[in-house]
Amino acid sequence: MARRAEEFIAEGRPSSLKAYVDRGEMLMASTSDRVQAGDALAKQVWDEACYYLAAACVTMQHVVNPQAW
């Protein structure tokens, strides 16, 4: 998540997370506080992460579903 946010910031997308990058601070994977503050970029990163986590969970459910065999 942090890497994805940094990619967007490097592309010039506006975000409150840019202040952390400008100070040389490492972005942490958790962006939930910035999402709650209304940061659109943080929300997009959060939504992408949730989407891929959900896709992985569904895939694992299908892989280990004994009824499917």
Side-chain angles (χ1 to χ4, degrees):
M1 290 173 60
R3 185 171 2 126
R4 186 72 168 139
E6 289 172 349
E7 289 171 2
F8 284 139
I9 291 168
E11 292 173 1
R13 302 262 312 269
S15 174
S16 61
L17 297 172
K18 186 177 184 318
Y20 294 97
V21 174
D22 289 345
R23 289 192 301 259
E25 295 180 27
M26 180 181 285
L27 290 179
M28 304 305 284
S30 173
T31 59
S32 61
D33 62 329
R34 298 288 83 210
V35 172
Q36 293 172 349
D39 188 304
L41 185 138
K43 182 178 181 332
Q44 181 179 353
V45 170
W46 183 263
D47 288 346
E48 283 182 11
C50 290
Y51 171 83
Y52 289 112
L53 179 60
C57 289
V58 169
T59 299
M60 289 305 301
Q61 178 185 8
H62 290 291
V63 168
V64 298
N65 183 359
Q67 294 175 353
W69 304 101

